[in-house]
Amino acid sequence: MILLIDAYNVLKQIVSSDQATPQEKTAFIATIGQYARLKNISIELVFDGGPYGLPDRVLVKNVVISHSGAQESADDLIKSLIHAYKGRDVLLVSTDRELGRYASLHGVESIDSADFYRLVRKALDAVESPHKKGPKNLVKIIEESDPEVDALMAEFTVTIKKGPPETSLLEKRSPSERKGSKQERRLEKKIRKL
């Protein structure tokens, strides 16, 4: 499967400001690279603009990074890539409705940027968390304050989120809605790969 990612669209979901810094962009690319290796999938990140205003494509640690250049938008480049990948197993990651409709008209399913990034974090956190696991029941038995003991307690303490548990993208629909169209079933199959 090839993930075709509207990169700034996803990046806007995870940075606090409207404009991502070069460090945030680099960290994002590294995170997506880890995810691509973990899931063994091909990923193409498509960014607007570029370092010199010219379109470019670079392979960085199994992720293709494309910039649209000054003359074209990332959306236009994504549309041309949809045509270039015709007949292949492609999933578009973007919250842009127009781009989603275009992809759908050309037989490519799409997933929301925020939903995709949650799946990325969940997969990467699951890999990282076994290294942080310690004994299941930690009990502080001394009353004095000891910074080292307090740091260990904090490191191995489990935080419980308030509110309803998160449901997966596949569980959000009722059983009668789960059958869906052929396109919905293809999308579900692709989401399971993520």
Side-chain angles (χ1 to χ4, degrees), residues 41-66:
I41 54 177
S42 299
I43 295 181
E44 183 154 357
L45 291 170
V46 181
F47 290 94
D48 282 303
Y52 305 107
L54 299 171
D56 69 343
R57 281 180 97 196
V58 179
L59 180 66
V60 178
K61 293 185 179 180
N62 74 337
V63 175
V64 175
I65 301 168
S66 299

PDB file of all heavy atoms in Angstrom, residues 41-66:
ATOM      1  N   ILE A  41       5.301   0.020   4.895  1.00  0.00           N
ATOM      2  CA  ILE A  41       4.488   0.594   3.829  1.00  0.00           C
ATOM      3  C   ILE A  41       5.231   1.751   3.175  1.00  0.00           C
ATOM      4  O   ILE A  41       6.113   2.355   3.780  1.00  0.00           O
ATOM      5  CB  ILE A  41       3.109   1.072   4.348  1.00  0.00           C
ATOM      6  CG1 ILE A  41       3.263   2.043   5.521  1.00  0.00           C
ATOM      7  CG2 ILE A  41       2.210  -0.060   4.702  1.00  0.00           C
ATOM      8  CD1 ILE A  41       1.950   2.599   6.025  1.00  0.00           C
ATOM      9  N   SER A  42       4.881   2.021   1.941  1.00  0.00           N
ATOM     10  CA  SER A  42       5.467   3.138   1.208  1.00  0.00           C
ATOM     11  C   SER A  42       4.672   4.400   1.520  1.00  0.00           C
ATOM     12  O   SER A  42       3.436   4.371   1.527  1.00  0.00           O
ATOM     13  CB  SER A  42       5.416   2.880  -0.292  1.00  0.00           C
ATOM     14  OG  SER A  42       6.152   1.728  -0.610  1.00  0.00           O
ATOM     15  N   ILE A  43       5.395   5.481   1.754  1.00  0.00           N
ATOM     16  CA  ILE A  43       4.740   6.747   2.082  1.00  0.00           C
ATOM     17  C   ILE A  43       5.325   7.849   1.221  1.00  0.00           C
ATOM     18  O   ILE A  43       6.539   7.912   1.029  1.00  0.00           O
ATOM     19  CB  ILE A  43       4.912   7.101   3.574  1.00  0.00           C
ATOM     20  CG1 ILE A  43       4.196   6.072   4.451  1.00  0.00           C
ATOM     21  CG2 ILE A  43       4.409   8.512   3.861  1.00  0.00           C
ATOM     22  CD1 ILE A  43       4.271   6.322   5.941  1.00  0.00           C
ATOM     23  N   GLU A  44       4.450   8.688   0.699  1.00  0.00           N
ATOM     24  CA  GLU A  44       4.889   9.892   0.001  1.00  0.00           C
ATOM     25  C   GLU A  44       4.258  11.095   0.700  1.00  0.00           C
ATOM     26  O   GLU A  44       3.043  11.223   0.768  1.00  0.00           O
ATOM     27  CB  GLU A  44       4.508   9.872  -1.472  1.00  0.00           C
ATOM     28  CG  GLU A  44       5.024  11.087  -2.201  1.00  0.00           C
ATOM     29  CD  GLU A  44       5.256  10.887  -3.690  1.00  0.00           C
ATOM     30  OE1 GLU A  44       5.060   9.762  -4.187  1.00  0.00           O
ATOM     31  OE2 GLU A  44       5.646  11.867  -4.338  1.00  0.00           O
ATOM     32  N   LEU A  45       5.127  11.944   1.251  1.00  0.00           N
ATOM     33  CA  LEU A  45       4.698  13.186   1.883  1.00  0.00           C
ATOM     34  C   LEU A  45       4.738  14.282   0.830  1.00  0.00           C
ATOM     35  O   LEU A  45       5.774  14.478   0.182  1.00  0.00           O
ATOM     36  CB  LEU A  45       5.642  13.568   3.027  1.00  0.00           C
ATOM     37  CG  LEU A  45       5.629  12.691   4.262  1.00  0.00           C
ATOM     38  CD1 LEU A  45       6.790  13.061   5.192  1.00  0.00           C
ATOM     39  CD2 LEU A  45       4.316  12.861   5.007  1.00  0.00           C
ATOM     40  N   VAL A  46       3.631  14.996   0.657  1.00  0.00           N
ATOM     41  CA  VAL A  46       3.579  16.051  -0.349  1.00  0.00           C
ATOM     42  C   VAL A  46       3.408  17.392   0.359  1.00  0.00           C
ATOM     43  O   VAL A  46       2.405  17.625   1.039  1.00  0.00           O
ATOM     44  CB  VAL A  46       2.436  15.816  -1.355  1.00  0.00           C
ATOM     45  CG1 VAL A  46       2.421  16.909  -2.412  1.00  0.00           C
ATOM     46  CG2 VAL A  46       2.561  14.446  -2.008  1.00  0.00           C
ATOM     47  N   PHE A  47       4.411  18.248   0.206  1.00  0.00           N
ATOM     48  CA  PHE A  47       4.416  19.574   0.812  1.00  0.00           C
ATOM     49  C   PHE A  47       4.211  20.650  -0.258  1.00  0.00           C
ATOM     50  O   PHE A  47       4.646  20.478  -1.401  1.00  0.00           O
ATOM     51  CB  PHE A  47       5.773  19.856   1.484  1.00  0.00           C
ATOM     52  CG  PHE A  47       6.033  19.051   2.721  1.00  0.00           C
ATOM     53  CD1 PHE A  47       6.737  17.865   2.652  1.00  0.00           C
ATOM     54  CD2 PHE A  47       5.589  19.490   3.964  1.00  0.00           C
ATOM     55  CE1 PHE A  47       7.004  17.120   3.794  1.00  0.00           C
ATOM     56  CE2 PHE A  47       5.842  18.752   5.111  1.00  0.00           C
ATOM     57  CZ  PHE A  47       6.556  17.568   5.025  1.00  0.00           C
ATOM     58  N   ASP A  48       3.607  21.757   0.135  1.00  0.00           N
ATOM     59  CA  ASP A  48       3.551  22.933  -0.728  1.00  0.00           C
ATOM     60  C   ASP A  48       4.933  23.552  -0.799  1.00  0.00           C
ATOM     61  O   ASP A  48       5.736  23.425   0.132  1.00  0.00           O
ATOM     62  CB  ASP A  48       2.585  23.987  -0.153  1.00  0.00           C
ATOM     63  CG  ASP A  48       1.134  23.650  -0.401  1.00  0.00           C
ATOM     64  OD1 ASP A  48       0.766  23.475  -1.574  1.00  0.00           O
ATOM     65  OD2 ASP A  48       0.371  23.568   0.580  1.00  0.00           O
ATOM     66  N   GLY A  49       5.198  24.279  -1.886  1.00  0.00           N
ATOM     67  CA  GLY A  49       6.446  25.035  -1.998  1.00  0.00           C
ATOM     68  C   GLY A  49       7.651  24.146  -2.148  1.00  0.00           C
ATOM     69  O   GLY A  49       7.631  23.149  -2.850  1.00  0.00           O
ATOM     70  N   GLY A  50       8.711  24.532  -1.482  1.00  0.00           N
ATOM     71  CA  GLY A  50       9.961  23.788  -1.536  1.00  0.00           C
ATOM     72  C   GLY A  50      11.119  24.683  -1.191  1.00  0.00           C
ATOM     73  O   GLY A  50      10.981  25.903  -1.131  1.00  0.00           O
ATOM     74  N   PRO A  51      12.267  24.094  -0.982  1.00  0.00           N
ATOM     75  CA  PRO A  51      13.404  24.891  -0.532  1.00  0.00           C
ATOM     76  C   PRO A  51      13.844  25.955  -1.536  1.00  0.00           C
ATOM     77  O   PRO A  51      14.326  26.999  -1.155  1.00  0.00           O
ATOM     78  CB  PRO A  51      14.511  23.855  -0.308  1.00  0.00           C
ATOM     79  CG  PRO A  51      14.032  22.582  -0.869  1.00  0.00           C
ATOM     80  CD  PRO A  51      12.563  22.689  -1.085  1.00  0.00           C
ATOM     81  N   TYR A  52      13.701  25.726  -2.835  1.00  0.00           N
ATOM     82  CA  TYR A  52      14.153  26.692  -3.833  1.00  0.00           C
ATOM     83  C   TYR A  52      13.031  27.153  -4.751  1.00  0.00           C
ATOM     84  O   TYR A  52      13.289  27.742  -5.791  1.00  0.00           O
ATOM     85  CB  TYR A  52      15.289  26.086  -4.665  1.00  0.00           C
ATOM     86  CG  TYR A  52      16.414  25.589  -3.788  1.00  0.00           C
ATOM     87  CD1 TYR A  52      16.604  24.221  -3.597  1.00  0.00           C
ATOM     88  CD2 TYR A  52      17.246  26.476  -3.124  1.00  0.00           C
ATOM     89  CE1 TYR A  52      17.622  23.761  -2.778  1.00  0.00           C
ATOM     90  CE2 TYR A  52      18.259  26.026  -2.300  1.00  0.00           C
ATOM     91  CZ  TYR A  52      18.443  24.672  -2.131  1.00  0.00           C
ATOM     92  OH  TYR A  52      19.438  24.225  -1.316  1.00  0.00           O
ATOM     93  N   GLY A  53      11.796  26.846  -4.382  1.00  0.00           N
ATOM     94  CA  GLY A  53      10.659  27.231  -5.207  1.00  0.00           C
ATOM     95  C   GLY A  53      10.442  26.323  -6.402  1.00  0.00           C
ATOM     96  O   GLY A  53       9.551  26.555  -7.206  1.00  0.00           O
ATOM     97  N   LEU A  54      11.257  25.286  -6.519  1.00  0.00           N
ATOM     98  CA  LEU A  54      11.131  24.342  -7.626  1.00  0.00           C
ATOM     99  C   LEU A  54      10.566  23.023  -7.110  1.00  0.00           C
ATOM    100  O   LEU A  54      10.829  22.637  -5.976  1.00  0.00           O
ATOM    101  CB  LEU A  54      12.499  24.083  -8.263  1.00  0.00           C
ATOM    102  CG  LEU A  54      13.199  25.297  -8.857  1.00  0.00           C
ATOM    103  CD1 LEU A  54      14.620  24.943  -9.258  1.00  0.00           C
ATOM    104  CD2 LEU A  54      12.420  25.832 -10.044  1.00  0.00           C
ATOM    105  N   PRO A  55       9.819  22.316  -7.947  1.00  0.00           N
ATOM    106  CA  PRO A  55       9.326  21.008  -7.511  1.00  0.00           C
ATOM    107  C   PRO A  55      10.491  20.036  -7.331  1.00  0.00           C
ATOM    108  O   PRO A  55      11.475  20.088  -8.077  1.00  0.00           O
ATOM    109  CB  PRO A  55       8.416  20.547  -8.649  1.00  0.00           C
ATOM    110  CG  PRO A  55       8.514  21.549  -9.728  1.00  0.00           C
ATOM    111  CD  PRO A  55       9.373  22.675  -9.281  1.00  0.00           C
ATOM    112  N   ASP A  56      10.406  19.184  -6.333  1.00  0.00           N
ATOM    113  CA  ASP A  56      11.438  18.178  -6.131  1.00  0.00           C
ATOM    114  C   ASP A  56      10.857  16.964  -5.427  1.00  0.00           C
ATOM    115  O   ASP A  56       9.808  17.032  -4.811  1.00  0.00           O
ATOM    116  CB  ASP A  56      12.637  18.736  -5.359  1.00  0.00           C
ATOM    117  CG  ASP A  56      12.326  19.056  -3.903  1.00  0.00           C
ATOM    118  OD1 ASP A  56      11.144  19.161  -3.541  1.00  0.00           O
ATOM    119  OD2 ASP A  56      13.275  19.196  -3.113  1.00  0.00           O
ATOM    120  N   ARG A  57      11.561  15.829  -5.584  1.00  0.00           N
ATOM    121  CA  ARG A  57      11.206  14.572  -4.925  1.00  0.00           C
ATOM    122  C   ARG A  57      12.488  13.968  -4.404  1.00  0.00           C
ATOM    123  O   ARG A  57      13.439  13.793  -5.142  1.00  0.00           O
ATOM    124  CB  ARG A  57      10.570  13.579  -5.896  1.00  0.00           C
ATOM    125  CG  ARG A  57       9.132  13.836  -6.183  1.00  0.00           C
ATOM    126  CD  ARG A  57       8.592  12.810  -7.136  1.00  0.00           C
ATOM    127  NE  ARG A  57       7.930  11.764  -6.374  1.00  0.00           N
ATOM    128  CZ  ARG A  57       7.620  10.588  -6.858  1.00  0.00           C
ATOM    129  NH1 ARG A  57       7.934  10.266  -8.084  1.00  0.00           N
ATOM    130  NH2 ARG A  57       7.013   9.700  -6.112  1.00  0.00           N
ATOM    131  N   VAL A  58      12.504  13.648  -3.099  1.00  0.00           N
ATOM    132  CA  VAL A  58      13.685  13.097  -2.461  1.00  0.00           C
ATOM    133  C   VAL A  58      13.265  11.910  -1.607  1.00  0.00           C
ATOM    134  O   VAL A  58      12.238  11.965  -0.926  1.00  0.00           O
ATOM    135  CB  VAL A  58      14.357  14.165  -1.556  1.00  0.00           C
ATOM    136  CG1 VAL A  58      15.575  13.610  -0.868  1.00  0.00           C
ATOM    137  CG2 VAL A  58      14.702  15.408  -2.346  1.00  0.00           C
ATOM    138  N   LEU A  59      14.073  10.853  -1.643  1.00  0.00           N
ATOM    139  CA  LEU A  59      13.827   9.694  -0.794  1.00  0.00           C
ATOM    140  C   LEU A  59      14.664   9.846   0.470  1.00  0.00           C
ATOM    141  O   LEU A  59      15.881   9.967   0.397  1.00  0.00           O
ATOM    142  CB  LEU A  59      14.202   8.395  -1.516  1.00  0.00           C
ATOM    143  CG  LEU A  59      13.996   7.107  -0.732  1.00  0.00           C
ATOM    144  CD1 LEU A  59      12.519   6.868  -0.457  1.00  0.00           C
ATOM    145  CD2 LEU A  59      14.588   5.937  -1.493  1.00  0.00           C
ATOM    146  N   VAL A  60      13.993   9.901   1.629  1.00  0.00           N
ATOM    147  CA  VAL A  60      14.675  10.011   2.917  1.00  0.00           C
ATOM    148  C   VAL A  60      14.187   8.866   3.794  1.00  0.00           C
ATOM    149  O   VAL A  60      13.041   8.867   4.241  1.00  0.00           O
ATOM    150  CB  VAL A  60      14.387  11.363   3.605  1.00  0.00           C
ATOM    151  CG1 VAL A  60      15.063  11.421   4.963  1.00  0.00           C
ATOM    152  CG2 VAL A  60      14.826  12.529   2.736  1.00  0.00           C
ATOM    153  N   LYS A  61      15.074   7.890   4.029  1.00  0.00           N
ATOM    154  CA  LYS A  61      14.754   6.751   4.894  1.00  0.00           C
ATOM    155  C   LYS A  61      13.391   6.151   4.580  1.00  0.00           C
ATOM    156  O   LYS A  61      12.484   6.190   5.399  1.00  0.00           O
ATOM    157  CB  LYS A  61      14.832   7.166   6.364  1.00  0.00           C
ATOM    158  CG  LYS A  61      16.223   7.507   6.810  1.00  0.00           C
ATOM    159  CD  LYS A  61      16.256   7.794   8.284  1.00  0.00           C
ATOM    160  CE  LYS A  61      17.660   8.102   8.728  1.00  0.00           C
ATOM    161  NZ  LYS A  61      17.750   8.378  10.140  1.00  0.00           N
ATOM    162  N   ASN A  62      13.210   5.654   3.422  1.00  0.00           N
ATOM    163  CA  ASN A  62      12.023   4.973   2.920  1.00  0.00           C
ATOM    164  C   ASN A  62      10.749   5.819   2.839  1.00  0.00           C
ATOM    165  O   ASN A  62       9.662   5.282   2.734  1.00  0.00           O
ATOM    166  CB  ASN A  62      11.773   3.639   3.651  1.00  0.00           C
ATOM    167  CG  ASN A  62      11.233   3.788   5.050  1.00  0.00           C
ATOM    168  OD1 ASN A  62      11.402   4.830   5.683  1.00  0.00           O
ATOM    169  ND2 ASN A  62      10.587   2.758   5.540  1.00  0.00           N
ATOM    170  N   VAL A  63      10.887   7.138   2.904  1.00  0.00           N
ATOM    171  CA  VAL A  63       9.750   8.039   2.705  1.00  0.00           C
ATOM    172  C   VAL A  63      10.102   8.992   1.573  1.00  0.00           C
ATOM    173  O   VAL A  63      11.161   9.619   1.586  1.00  0.00           O
ATOM    174  CB  VAL A  63       9.436   8.851   3.984  1.00  0.00           C
ATOM    175  CG1 VAL A  63       8.337   9.873   3.728  1.00  0.00           C
ATOM    176  CG2 VAL A  63       9.023   7.925   5.126  1.00  0.00           C
ATOM    177  N   VAL A  64       9.224   9.082   0.579  1.00  0.00           N
ATOM    178  CA  VAL A  64       9.433  10.027  -0.503  1.00  0.00           C
ATOM    179  C   VAL A  64       8.880  11.372  -0.029  1.00  0.00           C
ATOM    180  O   VAL A  64       7.735  11.465   0.405  1.00  0.00           O
ATOM    181  CB  VAL A  64       8.727   9.583  -1.803  1.00  0.00           C
ATOM    182  CG1 VAL A  64       8.861  10.643  -2.884  1.00  0.00           C
ATOM    183  CG2 VAL A  64       9.266   8.256  -2.280  1.00  0.00           C
ATOM    184  N   ILE A  65       9.729  12.394  -0.119  1.00  0.00           N
ATOM    185  CA  ILE A  65       9.316  13.747   0.271  1.00  0.00           C
ATOM    186  C   ILE A  65       9.249  14.574  -1.001  1.00  0.00           C
ATOM    187  O   ILE A  65      10.253  14.763  -1.691  1.00  0.00           O
ATOM    188  CB  ILE A  65      10.307  14.365   1.275  1.00  0.00           C
ATOM    189  CG1 ILE A  65      10.380  13.482   2.514  1.00  0.00           C
ATOM    190  CG2 ILE A  65       9.881  15.783   1.627  1.00  0.00           C
ATOM    191  CD1 ILE A  65      11.510  13.813   3.434  1.00  0.00           C
ATOM    192  N   SER A  66       8.045  15.041  -1.323  1.00  0.00           N
ATOM    193  CA  SER A  66       7.823  15.828  -2.537  1.00  0.00           C
ATOM    194  C   SER A  66       7.428  17.244  -2.164  1.00  0.00           C
ATOM    195  O   SER A  66       6.652  17.459  -1.226  1.00  0.00           O
ATOM    196  CB  SER A  66       6.714  15.210  -3.384  1.00  0.00           C
ATOM    197  OG  SER A  66       7.063  13.917  -3.791  1.00  0.00           O
TER     198      SER A  66
END
